[in-house]
Amino acid sequence: MATEPVIIDCDPGQDDAVALLLALASPGDLNVLAVTAVSGNVPLELTAANARRVIELAGRSDVPVHAGCDRPLLRPAVTAEHMHGQTGLDGAGLPDTATALADGHAVEAIIELLRERPSGSVTLCPVGPLTNVALALHLAPDIADRIGRIVLMGGAAGPGNVTPSAEFNIYVDPHAASIVFRSGAPIVMLGLDVTQQALVNADRLAAIAAVDTPVSRSVVGMLDFYGARSRVNPSAGSPLHDPCAVAYLLDPGLFAGRPCHVMIEVEGTHTLGRTVVDRSGRADTHPNATVIDEVDAGGLFALLTERLARLTA
Ligand code: RIB
Ligand code: CA
């Protein structure tokens, strides 16, 4: 079966790291052409280093990591060390990276890979702020028609997690998100509505720990650290956001959603960064995204645990 060429744009971040491991553990399904780093959870220098630390953990130093934008298009940089720790990958127990960055800015790499490959064949999987993707679309408008699909973690039809209105990835760079959602590229949006159903609880963490490999030990350490800070409901567990986007690529049958028109608030005092999800058609415009709002969480964690066990490098 043909593998799906994918570019993962991320801001590692513990949940980004697990998403990368899930993708790299699935070479029969995904051909990770490149990993591109963006400023988000922590500054770019750290997200770019963390991405390389994770590909080394996976034994996949062959995958190029490109550094991208070190700040949002217009807004001041917002980071989340309080959630991810000063390194952005606290709990991972990983050494400093020994891999050099790939040549070329992430935005150039995204444009070149989309132009080199057959039109419609490459998937973009952004799981951080959308600055790199938006700038690529702005610099090379021709790529909008060449993107196969954009499967992203971000946004929320319901409440936000960084303000009452906005989810972090969209809030950090709402102007970038607006460019992406207005690009015409096919979008699958996995926002908080679904990722907050993907809860890491004691049983699921124990199942990952039972794999008992360097990868699983690092994942448990990361999820312990991140979970203690991202928990919505102490008794229910902590949401695992970014792996949902990769899991959707691997097994879309685990998820359910519907076509909606999604608009991005770029000016509101209290609503900046909100993804306004029109499920009623009131906006009188065609749907620009499939908004996912259900997941088989048990199936998701079974898939994640099974794939992580394959990484025995
Ligand atoms: O709101 C969750 C998102 O913000 C995740 O991508 C997490 O890594 C942070 O970037
Ligand atoms: Ca992220």
Side-chain angles (χ1 to χ4, degrees), residues 11-16 40-41 80 84 127-129 153-155 161-162 167-169 192 195 226 241-242:
D11 62 331
Q14 289 86 352
D15 59 327
D16 304 69
N41 287 319
H84 298 269
V127 291
M153 191 279 139
N161 63 353
V162 69
E167 178 277 327
F168 181 83
N169 287 337
L192 299 178
T195 65
Y226 183 55
H241 303 291
D242 295 342

Side-chain angles (χ1 to χ4, degrees), residues 8-294:
I8 300 178
D9 189 74
C10 55
D11 62 331
Q14 289 86 352
D15 59 327
D16 304 69
V18 179
L20 284 173
L21 291 169
L22 179 57
L24 295 170
S26 308
D29 302 278
L30 302 176
N31 173 12
V32 181
L33 301 176
V35 173
T36 52
V38 67
S39 169
N41 287 319
V42 287
L44 175 69
E45 184 179 354
L46 287 173
T47 61
N50 291 340
R52 284 172 284 161
R53 294 166 76 192
V54 173
I55 64 160
E56 289 162 19
L57 174 65
R60 292 296 310 278
S61 296
D62 58 296
V63 175
V65 176
H66 295 267
C69 297
D70 65 358
R71 73 199 70 179
L73 296 181
L74 296 178
R75 298 273 307 157
V78 171
T79 53
E81 287 85 350
H82 62 289
M83 298 291 288
H84 298 269
Q86 289 305 311
T87 71
L89 219 51
D90 286 29
L94 297 177
D96 291 343
T97 181
T99 309
L101 276 172
D103 292 338
H105 192 282
V107 171
E108 294 166 336
I110 291 168
I111 293 168
E112 285 168 21
L113 285 166
L114 285 168
R115 284 178 173 165
E116 283 168 8
R117 297 265 169 166
S119 183
S121 66
V122 176
T123 292
L124 301 185
C125 187
V127 291
L130 291 164
T131 317
N132 288 339
V133 177
L135 198 49
L137 284 162
H138 203 59
L139 287 174
D142 62 290
I143 66 170
D145 293 335
R146 301 188 63 84
I147 297 169
R149 56 180 178 165
I150 299 174
V151 178
L152 65 88
M153 191 279 139
N161 63 353
V162 69
T163 72
S165 299
E167 178 277 327
F168 181 83
N169 287 337
I170 309 301
Y171 176 78
V172 167
D173 199 340
H175 302 93
S178 182
I179 289 171
V180 171
F181 277 84
R182 288 184 292 113
S183 69
I187 294 173
V188 177
M189 171 181 138
L190 293 104
L192 299 178
D193 317 290
V194 65
T195 65
Q196 286 179 343
Q197 297 174 41
L199 295 175
V200 179
N201 59 31
D203 290 347
R204 288 165 179 167
L205 204 54
I208 295 172
V211 171
D212 197 22
T213 59
V215 167
S216 70
R217 286 190 285 273
S218 182
V219 168
V220 169
M222 287 191 278
L223 295 185
D224 267 339
F225 182 91
Y226 183 55
R229 292 156 179 79
S230 60
R231 196 149 289 150
V232 176
N233 173 342
S235 61
S238 51
L240 192 58
H241 303 291
D242 295 342
C244 287
V246 173
Y248 182 89
L249 298 177
L250 298 173
D251 187 355
L254 292 172
F255 299 87
R258 74 194 83 171
C260 299
H261 187 73
V262 180
M263 298 157 277
I264 312 297
E265 178 54 70
V266 295
E267 293 180 355
T269 302
H270 306 293
T271 57
L272 179 71
R274 178 147 191 76
T275 45
V276 180
V277 178
D278 177 17
R279 291 189 167 124
S280 64
R282 289 195 188 89
D284 191 26
T285 44
H286 67 282
N288 59 349
T290 297
V291 176
I292 303 298
D293 53 18
E294 285 181 40

Side-chain angles (χ1 to χ4, degrees), residues 1-12:
M1 185 177 75
T3 59
E4 182 174 2
V6 60
I7 299 169
I8 300 178
D9 189 74
C10 55
D11 62 331

